[in-house]
Amino acid sequence: MAKKGLLCLSLTESTIRRNIELAEKYRGKIDIAELRADFLKESEYKYIEKFPKEISVPAILTLRNRNGGGLFTGSDNERRFILMAGLKAPYSYIDLEHDNYDTELEKAAKASSVTVIRSVHDYSGVPESVSGLINNLARNPGEIPKAAFFPKTTQELLRLMSAYGSLENKPAILLGMGDYGIPTRLLAGKLGSFLSYTSEKKDSAAPGHISIEDMTGLYRYREINKDTAVYGVVGNPVMHSSSPIIHNQGFKELGLNAVYIPFLADDIGEFMKLSRLLDIKGLSVTIPHKETVIPFLSGVDNIISSVGACNTVFLKNGGYYGTNTDAEGFLAPLKQIFHGVVPKGLRATIIGAGGAARSAVYSLKRNNIDVLILNRTEGRAEKLGAEFGCEWGSIMPNDTEQSIKKMSEYNDIIVQATRVGMAPDISGDPLPGYEFSGNEIVYDMVYKPRETVFLRRAFKAGCRIVHGIDMLIEQAKFQFKIFTSRDFPFSDFSL
Ligand code: NAP
């Protein structure tokens, strides 16, 4: 049976000494170390034989040229000279590009019992015939084929993922580059790739490399095998999401053979095919797919009919079902403030009329709280208000005076549900003209940064404040329960 899912640390420092130090620093976390000799200073080539002698794991020697995405710009003769020197040292593998045949190097590798990794790197996308390509890549018996493609769409990622099933039962490395390719790097042990690469820092050796700390800590890569249950968050963008931190810590604490990973997706329909292929057990759905995912589900619950957005997908009776935990997640921090039950008769203002505002309006109205909706685009506030029976207004400069006056009737709770103040533009305040009395509960749904300008202003005035990150954690806890049928194992989890 071919080994699968080994972890290889790619080393891209400019000196041999520093690369040795790093390989030794991480030796307990990796199976193999790759010396990317194309990142070395020229004056270091003469020490190339030291690397495999002074590290404790098997070594790969790689001198990647520009075509393959590397830095080496020397001639074929120079390349041969450097690699020949390496083949005199105890490297276990040498990476030779598929379009740079060199019979002398192949002979020398064979004589030294160094296994050739025959590689192709295609930055242009994913070809139609991935399986034909990888299964015919080796030039000589015993070579390990390696193909790395750069998927630019969900459809391309699906094509790449579909090829794993056809890998022959021999070692082969098949990986996707870039953010779309991240699931292939994380799931190598499940998909059947011989190894996956990591770097000390994210992306330092190739686009899509995950840092070794995240790979082995956050994602527990080395525990992933063919039986690992896959969960994840699907969105665009998605790489900033904190959800993997929450769910993976829960899985780890409960000792579950499960992993939660980010899936960048431009097409939710194609992604749901990928989800089937990978047998994904549960998904958090984020912008911009919360509405567009609904037609691809076998069913949805009543909350979705009211909120109109799905943030949670899970397997039920063999089909994918949708629900929404944002509304419950929104309410949970308010319940904590009121020791379990939000009192009837309170009045609230919600600033914003997008998806987040909709969950908040739904939750508050269900708890008999009257709501005023204020939004930049007044028509959206009006539409949402009409749907839920709320008053509405605008926060455009000409209207703020009137809106702020109206707020005095709805100021027990103020919810900030616009994108204003969200990173990277953290200086924004959606309603700078509103002066807090200090009696309001002020809730900002923005969670990056944790403390927005709006919240800081409210806190300074003496208000009780609620951070958006608390809602994020609470909605994730509800998802965790839906995904695993287990309670999230930390009572005071924070990010
Ligand atoms: P959305 O559906 O795109 O709605 C965006 C809202 O922000 C709209 O009301 C929009 O007003 C308003 N807006 C955007 N730019 C503005 C500006 N420059 N000035 C004034 N208003 C502006 O987004 P969403 O899903 O509701 O998300 C809104 C925020 O809530 C985001 O920061 C998101 O990260 C956060 N959120 C947090 C959680 C959590 O768990 N804490 C969950 C969901 C969302 P117009 O209608 O005029 O465009």
Side-chain angles (χ1 to χ4, degrees):
M1 195 59 181
K3 281 187 191 160
K4 285 171 186 168
L6 301 181
L7 187 58
C8 175
L9 177 65
S10 283
L11 292 158
T12 53
E13 294 294 324
S14 62
T15 66
I16 293 284
R17 178 56 38 213
R18 181 71 188 130
N19 285 316
I20 290 171
E21 280 167 14
L22 287 178
E24 285 303 276
K25 176 176 173 188
Y26 295 112
R27 67 182 169 188
K29 296 187 170 180
I30 57 174
D31 303 293
I32 299 178
E34 177 189 44
L35 177 68
R36 284 292 302 268
D38 48 309
F39 283 75
L40 290 173
K41 291 192 280 199
E42 272 186 43
S43 57
E44 292 283 310
Y45 290 150
K46 57 180 175 290
Y47 305 122
I48 227 161
E49 83 284 358
K50 282 187 175 207
F51 181 74
K53 289 181 188 159
E54 295 190 24
I55 66 170
S56 326
V57 292
I60 302 176
L61 176 58
T62 301
L63 186 63
R64 182 97 55 238
N65 60 23
R66 290 273 180 201
N67 286 348
L71 300 186
F72 186 69
T73 52
S75 67
D76 283 352
N77 276 343
E78 287 167 310
R79 172 175 173 271
R80 183 182 305 129
F81 184 79
I82 296 163
L83 291 175
M84 281 294 195
L87 287 170
K88 293 191 185 109
Y91 282 95
S92 301
Y93 306 92
I94 184 168
D95 185 313
L96 296 178
E97 283 120 25
H98 77 120
D99 55 354
N100 207 341
Y101 295 148
D102 189 321
T103 322
E104 267 188 61
L105 274 175
E106 286 170 14
K107 275 190 203 154
K110 193 170 177 198
S112 314
S113 302
V114 176
T115 301
V116 171
I117 295 175
R118 181 68 64 186
S119 64
V120 58
H121 297 81
D122 185 345
Y123 286 78
S124 67
V126 179
E128 292 292 340
S129 55
V130 177
S131 37
L133 198 149
I134 186 136
N135 287 323
N136 292 304
L137 201 56
R139 250 169 66 88
N140 301 300
E143 289 187 358
I144 298 178
K146 171 190 172 187
F149 300 109
F150 204 131
K152 308 274 191 341
T153 60
T154 307
Q155 195 178 41
E156 287 197 331
L157 178 62
L158 178 60
R159 193 182 301 150
L160 178 58
M161 286 285 194
S162 304
Y164 283 94
S166 67
L167 286 184
E168 292 163 1
N169 194 22
K170 289 186 276 191
I173 302 165
L174 181 58
L175 295 167
M177 295 185 274
D179 287 349
Y180 277 100
I182 278 177
T184 67
R185 295 191 181 279
L186 287 170
L187 299 176
K190 182 177 176 79
L191 296 170
S193 179
F194 174 60
L195 58 74
S196 186
Y197 294 85
T198 179
S199 307
E200 192 193 24
K201 297 197 183 85
K202 184 180 175 306
D203 291 333
S204 55
H209 271 206
I210 297 156
S211 74
I212 182 157
E213 292 301 351
D214 278 355
M215 198 91 169
T216 57
L218 172 59
Y219 296 109
R220 292 187 295 144
Y221 170 86
R222 299 188 79 198
E223 292 168 41
I224 294 173
N225 54 36
K226 67 176 183 19
D227 299 323
T228 301
V230 178
Y231 297 85
V233 51
V234 55
N236 185 6
V238 77
M239 296 317 297
H240 65 283
S241 171
S242 305
S243 298
I245 303 174
I246 305 171
H247 289 277
N248 283 322
Q249 289 203 34
F251 294 156
K252 183 177 177 192
E253 182 70 12
L254 293 178
L256 301 179
N257 184 8
V259 66
Y260 182 102
I261 64 183
F263 290 97
L264 177 63
D266 65 336
D267 180 331
I268 194 69
E270 288 298 294
F271 180 78
M272 291 314 291
K273 291 184 200 162
L274 181 77
S275 187
R276 274 267 169 236
L277 180 77
L278 282 180
D279 191 27
I280 294 177
K281 306 286 188 208
L283 285 164
S284 310
V285 184
T286 187
I287 292 170
H289 302 309
K290 286 186 177 186
E291 287 103 33
T292 49
V293 72
I294 295 171
F296 298 97
L297 302 176
S298 307
V300 295
D301 65 10
N302 290 338
I303 302 181
I304 290 189
S305 325
S306 306
V307 177
C310 164
N311 81 329
T312 308
V313 169
F314 59 102
L315 271 178
K316 189 170 116 182
N317 303 329
Y320 282 121
Y321 274 72
T323 185
N324 189 309
T325 63
D326 276 341
E328 269 184 292
F330 168 79
L331 204 65
L334 289 176
K335 279 186 177 166
Q336 277 164 23
I337 288 178
F338 292 108
H339 309 291
V341 184
V342 183
K344 285 183 184 172
L346 293 180
R347 293 167 73 83
T349 299
I350 294 186
I351 310 167
R358 180 173 271 276
S359 306
V361 176
Y362 169 81
S363 277
L364 294 172
K365 289 296 285 182
R366 270 177 68 94
N367 282 273
N368 302 307
I369 294 173
D370 282 336
V371 175
L372 165 69
I373 303 167
L374 300 178
N375 194 42
R376 177 178 63 178
T377 308
E378 193 175 8
R380 281 184 92 186
E382 179 179 357
K383 193 163 172 281
L384 192 58
E387 209 176 310
F388 285 93
C390 308
E391 285 206 69
W392 69 83
S394 148
I395 53 165
M396 292 301 279
N398 285 345
D399 303 318
T400 44
E401 203 182 309
Q402 198 189 344
S403 292
I404 286 170
K405 227 177 185 175
K406 190 99 207 135
M407 278 174 81
S408 62
E409 299 163 36
Y410 290 89
N411 61 6
D412 297 314
I413 302 170
I414 298 176
V415 180
Q416 195 308 100
T418 74
R419 290 160 180 266
V420 179
M422 182 170 109
D425 188 8
I426 60 169
S427 62
D429 184 329
L431 209 48
Y434 180 82
E435 284 178 32
F436 295 102
S437 68
N439 296 322
E440 305 92 334
I441 293 172
V442 181
Y443 193 146
D444 199 329
M445 289 174 83
V446 168
Y447 55 86
K448 263 191 186 152
R450 181 182 154 79
E451 296 270 326
T452 58
V453 168
F454 192 65
L455 271 193
R456 273 208 300 276
R457 215 157 57 72
F459 185 71
K460 237 176 162 176
C463 301
R464 294 281 308 253
I465 59 168
V466 181
H467 298 94
I469 198 77
D470 293 336
M471 168 178 169
L472 185 82
I473 293 169
E474 293 303 327
Q475 64 77 29
K477 286 184 186 173
F478 288 113
Q479 285 183 333
F480 192 89
K481 177 91 190 207
I482 292 167
F483 291 160
T484 65
S485 305
R486 306 276 297 269
D487 285 325
F488 188 69
F490 303 99
S491 53
D492 57 351
F493 187 87
S494 63
L495 281 168

PDB file of all heavy atoms in Angstrom, residues 419-432 448-449 451-454 456-457:
ATOM      1  N   ARG A 419     -21.649  47.348   7.129  1.00  0.00           N
ATOM      2  CA  ARG A 419     -20.228  47.001   7.005  1.00  0.00           C
ATOM      3  C   ARG A 419     -19.322  48.134   7.480  1.00  0.00           C
ATOM      4  O   ARG A 419     -18.092  48.014   7.413  1.00  0.00           O
ATOM      5  CB  ARG A 419     -19.887  46.727   5.542  1.00  0.00           C
ATOM      6  CG  ARG A 419     -20.504  45.461   5.049  1.00  0.00           C
ATOM      7  CD  ARG A 419     -20.569  45.466   3.535  1.00  0.00           C
ATOM      8  NE  ARG A 419     -21.166  44.210   3.121  1.00  0.00           N
ATOM      9  CZ  ARG A 419     -20.450  43.133   2.794  1.00  0.00           C
ATOM     10  NH1 ARG A 419     -19.153  43.173   2.775  1.00  0.00           N
ATOM     11  NH2 ARG A 419     -21.054  42.020   2.466  1.00  0.00           N
ATOM     12  N   VAL A 420     -19.906  49.236   7.937  1.00  0.00           N
ATOM     13  CA  VAL A 420     -19.090  50.391   8.323  1.00  0.00           C
ATOM     14  C   VAL A 420     -18.269  50.053   9.571  1.00  0.00           C
ATOM     15  O   VAL A 420     -18.793  49.509  10.542  1.00  0.00           O
ATOM     16  CB  VAL A 420     -19.997  51.615   8.578  1.00  0.00           C
ATOM     17  CG1 VAL A 420     -19.163  52.820   8.993  1.00  0.00           C
ATOM     18  CG2 VAL A 420     -20.808  51.935   7.335  1.00  0.00           C
ATOM     19  N   GLY A 421     -16.981  50.365   9.502  1.00  0.00           N
ATOM     20  CA  GLY A 421     -16.085  50.095  10.635  1.00  0.00           C
ATOM     21  C   GLY A 421     -15.365  48.770  10.522  1.00  0.00           C
ATOM     22  O   GLY A 421     -14.499  48.428  11.317  1.00  0.00           O
ATOM     23  N   MET A 422     -15.718  47.995   9.468  1.00  0.00           N
ATOM     24  CA  MET A 422     -15.130  46.663   9.288  1.00  0.00           C
ATOM     25  C   MET A 422     -13.757  46.790   8.625  1.00  0.00           C
ATOM     26  O   MET A 422     -13.559  47.653   7.769  1.00  0.00           O
ATOM     27  CB  MET A 422     -16.086  45.872   8.385  1.00  0.00           C
ATOM     28  CG  MET A 422     -15.715  44.472   8.114  1.00  0.00           C
ATOM     29  SD  MET A 422     -17.126  43.665   7.277  1.00  0.00           S
ATOM     30  CE  MET A 422     -16.518  43.481   5.655  1.00  0.00           C
ATOM     31  N   ALA A 423     -12.819  45.942   9.026  1.00  0.00           N
ATOM     32  CA  ALA A 423     -11.488  45.953   8.434  1.00  0.00           C
ATOM     33  C   ALA A 423     -11.611  45.737   6.920  1.00  0.00           C
ATOM     34  O   ALA A 423     -12.485  44.994   6.490  1.00  0.00           O
ATOM     35  CB  ALA A 423     -10.646  44.836   9.052  1.00  0.00           C
ATOM     36  N   PRO A 424     -10.822  46.355   6.062  1.00  0.00           N
ATOM     37  CA  PRO A 424      -9.657  47.160   6.436  1.00  0.00           C
ATOM     38  C   PRO A 424      -9.972  48.617   6.775  1.00  0.00           C
ATOM     39  O   PRO A 424      -9.132  49.309   7.307  1.00  0.00           O
ATOM     40  CB  PRO A 424      -8.799  47.096   5.162  1.00  0.00           C
ATOM     41  CG  PRO A 424      -9.781  46.953   4.049  1.00  0.00           C
ATOM     42  CD  PRO A 424     -10.946  46.173   4.615  1.00  0.00           C
ATOM     43  N   ASP A 425     -11.209  49.076   6.485  1.00  0.00           N
ATOM     44  CA  ASP A 425     -11.492  50.501   6.707  1.00  0.00           C
ATOM     45  C   ASP A 425     -12.087  50.677   8.102  1.00  0.00           C
ATOM     46  O   ASP A 425     -13.290  50.856   8.264  1.00  0.00           O
ATOM     47  CB  ASP A 425     -12.466  50.984   5.617  1.00  0.00           C
ATOM     48  CG  ASP A 425     -12.663  52.473   5.665  1.00  0.00           C
ATOM     49  OD1 ASP A 425     -11.936  53.136   6.435  1.00  0.00           O
ATOM     50  OD2 ASP A 425     -13.557  52.983   4.965  1.00  0.00           O
ATOM     51  N   ILE A 426     -11.224  50.634   9.120  1.00  0.00           N
ATOM     52  CA  ILE A 426     -11.730  50.526  10.495  1.00  0.00           C
ATOM     53  C   ILE A 426     -12.093  51.871  11.133  1.00  0.00           C
ATOM     54  O   ILE A 426     -12.517  51.913  12.278  1.00  0.00           O
ATOM     55  CB  ILE A 426     -10.719  49.786  11.401  1.00  0.00           C
ATOM     56  CG1 ILE A 426      -9.390  50.533  11.446  1.00  0.00           C
ATOM     57  CG2 ILE A 426     -10.505  48.362  10.946  1.00  0.00           C
ATOM     58  CD1 ILE A 426      -8.455  50.010  12.515  1.00  0.00           C
ATOM     59  N   SER A 427     -11.952  52.969  10.349  1.00  0.00           N
ATOM     60  CA  SER A 427     -12.204  54.274  10.976  1.00  0.00           C
ATOM     61  C   SER A 427     -13.674  54.684  10.891  1.00  0.00           C
ATOM     62  O   SER A 427     -14.073  55.693  11.464  1.00  0.00           O
ATOM     63  CB  SER A 427     -11.335  55.336  10.306  1.00  0.00           C
ATOM     64  OG  SER A 427     -11.701  55.405   8.945  1.00  0.00           O
ATOM     65  N   GLY A 428     -14.500  53.893  10.196  1.00  0.00           N
ATOM     66  CA  GLY A 428     -15.888  54.318   9.950  1.00  0.00           C
ATOM     67  C   GLY A 428     -16.797  54.238  11.168  1.00  0.00           C
ATOM     68  O   GLY A 428     -16.630  53.391  12.045  1.00  0.00           O
ATOM     69  N   ASP A 429     -17.764  55.161  11.184  1.00  0.00           N
ATOM     70  CA  ASP A 429     -18.803  55.200  12.222  1.00  0.00           C
ATOM     71  C   ASP A 429     -20.103  55.407  11.458  1.00  0.00           C
ATOM     72  O   ASP A 429     -20.246  56.400  10.747  1.00  0.00           O
ATOM     73  CB  ASP A 429     -18.512  56.372  13.178  1.00  0.00           C
ATOM     74  CG  ASP A 429     -19.484  56.443  14.352  1.00  0.00           C
ATOM     75  OD1 ASP A 429     -20.656  56.049  14.193  1.00  0.00           O
ATOM     76  OD2 ASP A 429     -19.059  56.893  15.428  1.00  0.00           O
ATOM     77  N   PRO A 430     -21.066  54.508  11.553  1.00  0.00           N
ATOM     78  CA  PRO A 430     -22.260  54.624  10.707  1.00  0.00           C
ATOM     79  C   PRO A 430     -23.158  55.796  11.087  1.00  0.00           C
ATOM     80  O   PRO A 430     -23.938  56.269  10.274  1.00  0.00           O
ATOM     81  CB  PRO A 430     -22.980  53.292  10.936  1.00  0.00           C
ATOM     82  CG  PRO A 430     -22.523  52.847  12.269  1.00  0.00           C
ATOM     83  CD  PRO A 430     -21.126  53.339  12.437  1.00  0.00           C
ATOM     84  N   LEU A 431     -23.053  56.241  12.332  1.00  0.00           N
ATOM     85  CA  LEU A 431     -23.946  57.311  12.778  1.00  0.00           C
ATOM     86  C   LEU A 431     -23.188  58.246  13.737  1.00  0.00           C
ATOM     87  O   LEU A 431     -23.496  58.305  14.933  1.00  0.00           O
ATOM     88  CB  LEU A 431     -25.170  56.675  13.472  1.00  0.00           C
ATOM     89  CG  LEU A 431     -26.485  57.431  13.423  1.00  0.00           C
ATOM     90  CD1 LEU A 431     -26.824  57.910  12.011  1.00  0.00           C
ATOM     91  CD2 LEU A 431     -27.608  56.566  13.950  1.00  0.00           C
ATOM     92  N   PRO A 432     -22.212  59.014  13.207  1.00  0.00           N
ATOM     93  CA  PRO A 432     -21.369  59.807  14.105  1.00  0.00           C
ATOM     94  C   PRO A 432     -22.156  60.872  14.860  1.00  0.00           C
ATOM     95  O   PRO A 432     -21.740  61.303  15.932  1.00  0.00           O
ATOM     96  CB  PRO A 432     -20.316  60.437  13.173  1.00  0.00           C
ATOM     97  CG  PRO A 432     -20.811  60.246  11.793  1.00  0.00           C
ATOM     98  CD  PRO A 432     -21.791  59.130  11.799  1.00  0.00           C
ATOM     99  N   LYS A 448     -14.451  42.124  12.868  1.00  0.00           N
ATOM    100  CA  LYS A 448     -13.049  42.448  12.602  1.00  0.00           C
ATOM    101  C   LYS A 448     -12.976  43.911  12.293  1.00  0.00           C
ATOM    102  O   LYS A 448     -13.489  44.308  11.244  1.00  0.00           O
ATOM    103  CB  LYS A 448     -12.507  41.622  11.436  1.00  0.00           C
ATOM    104  CG  LYS A 448     -11.776  40.410  11.927  1.00  0.00           C
ATOM    105  CD  LYS A 448     -10.997  39.681  10.906  1.00  0.00           C
ATOM    106  CE  LYS A 448     -10.467  38.425  11.591  1.00  0.00           C
ATOM    107  NZ  LYS A 448     -10.251  37.310  10.726  1.00  0.00           N
ATOM    108  N   PRO A 449     -12.469  44.794  13.131  1.00  0.00           N
ATOM    109  CA  PRO A 449     -11.835  44.495  14.410  1.00  0.00           C
ATOM    110  C   PRO A 449     -12.862  44.160  15.506  1.00  0.00           C
ATOM    111  O   PRO A 449     -14.056  44.423  15.335  1.00  0.00           O
ATOM    112  CB  PRO A 449     -11.135  45.810  14.752  1.00  0.00           C
ATOM    113  CG  PRO A 449     -12.033  46.848  14.154  1.00  0.00           C
ATOM    114  CD  PRO A 449     -12.584  46.242  12.891  1.00  0.00           C
ATOM    115  N   GLU A 451     -13.073  45.645  18.457  1.00  0.00           N
ATOM    116  CA  GLU A 451     -13.602  46.912  18.986  1.00  0.00           C
ATOM    117  C   GLU A 451     -13.713  47.901  17.840  1.00  0.00           C
ATOM    118  O   GLU A 451     -12.694  48.376  17.348  1.00  0.00           O
ATOM    119  CB  GLU A 451     -12.627  47.516  20.006  1.00  0.00           C
ATOM    120  CG  GLU A 451     -12.410  46.710  21.253  1.00  0.00           C
ATOM    121  CD  GLU A 451     -13.385  47.049  22.355  1.00  0.00           C
ATOM    122  OE1 GLU A 451     -13.754  48.222  22.435  1.00  0.00           O
ATOM    123  OE2 GLU A 451     -13.768  46.129  23.108  1.00  0.00           O
ATOM    124  N   THR A 452     -14.918  48.220  17.401  1.00  0.00           N
ATOM    125  CA  THR A 452     -15.082  49.212  16.335  1.00  0.00           C
ATOM    126  C   THR A 452     -15.109  50.609  16.956  1.00  0.00           C
ATOM    127  O   THR A 452     -15.277  50.766  18.173  1.00  0.00           O
ATOM    128  CB  THR A 452     -16.408  48.974  15.595  1.00  0.00           C
ATOM    129  OG1 THR A 452     -17.443  49.064  16.573  1.00  0.00           O
ATOM    130  CG2 THR A 452     -16.435  47.618  14.924  1.00  0.00           C
ATOM    131  N   VAL A 453     -14.996  51.614  16.095  1.00  0.00           N
ATOM    132  CA  VAL A 453     -15.096  53.003  16.563  1.00  0.00           C
ATOM    133  C   VAL A 453     -16.448  53.206  17.256  1.00  0.00           C
ATOM    134  O   VAL A 453     -16.539  53.843  18.309  1.00  0.00           O
ATOM    135  CB  VAL A 453     -14.937  53.958  15.352  1.00  0.00           C
ATOM    136  CG1 VAL A 453     -15.331  55.374  15.716  1.00  0.00           C
ATOM    137  CG2 VAL A 453     -13.515  53.907  14.821  1.00  0.00           C
ATOM    138  N   PHE A 454     -17.493  52.652  16.667  1.00  0.00           N
ATOM    139  CA  PHE A 454     -18.858  52.797  17.192  1.00  0.00           C
ATOM    140  C   PHE A 454     -18.943  52.223  18.610  1.00  0.00           C
ATOM    141  O   PHE A 454     -19.455  52.864  19.531  1.00  0.00           O
ATOM    142  CB  PHE A 454     -19.807  52.057  16.237  1.00  0.00           C
ATOM    143  CG  PHE A 454     -21.265  52.329  16.448  1.00  0.00           C
ATOM    144  CD1 PHE A 454     -21.799  53.590  16.236  1.00  0.00           C
ATOM    145  CD2 PHE A 454     -22.132  51.300  16.815  1.00  0.00           C
ATOM    146  CE1 PHE A 454     -23.154  53.827  16.399  1.00  0.00           C
ATOM    147  CE2 PHE A 454     -23.494  51.531  16.986  1.00  0.00           C
ATOM    148  CZ  PHE A 454     -24.002  52.799  16.769  1.00  0.00           C
ATOM    149  N   ARG A 456     -16.434  51.622  20.673  1.00  0.00           N
ATOM    150  CA  ARG A 456     -15.564  52.367  21.617  1.00  0.00           C
ATOM    151  C   ARG A 456     -16.271  53.616  22.116  1.00  0.00           C
ATOM    152  O   ARG A 456     -16.221  53.963  23.291  1.00  0.00           O
ATOM    153  CB  ARG A 456     -14.243  52.740  20.926  1.00  0.00           C
ATOM    154  CG  ARG A 456     -13.186  51.644  21.027  1.00  0.00           C
ATOM    155  CD  ARG A 456     -11.774  52.222  20.995  1.00  0.00           C
ATOM    156  NE  ARG A 456     -11.507  52.945  19.779  1.00  0.00           N
ATOM    157  CZ  ARG A 456     -11.105  52.389  18.651  1.00  0.00           C
ATOM    158  NH1 ARG A 456     -10.940  51.085  18.580  1.00  0.00           N
ATOM    159  NH2 ARG A 456     -10.869  53.116  17.579  1.00  0.00           N
ATOM    160  N   ARG A 457     -16.964  54.291  21.176  1.00  0.00           N
ATOM    161  CA  ARG A 457     -17.686  55.511  21.533  1.00  0.00           C
ATOM    162  C   ARG A 457     -18.787  55.173  22.546  1.00  0.00           C
ATOM    163  O   ARG A 457     -18.981  55.887  23.537  1.00  0.00           O
ATOM    164  CB  ARG A 457     -18.302  56.075  20.240  1.00  0.00           C
ATOM    165  CG  ARG A 457     -18.331  57.579  20.180  1.00  0.00           C
ATOM    166  CD  ARG A 457     -18.402  58.099  18.771  1.00  0.00           C
ATOM    167  NE  ARG A 457     -19.494  57.664  17.930  1.00  0.00           N
ATOM    168  CZ  ARG A 457     -20.768  58.025  18.032  1.00  0.00           C
ATOM    169  NH1 ARG A 457     -21.146  58.847  19.005  1.00  0.00           N
ATOM    170  NH2 ARG A 457     -21.683  57.593  17.182  1.00  0.00           N
TER     171      ARG A 457
END
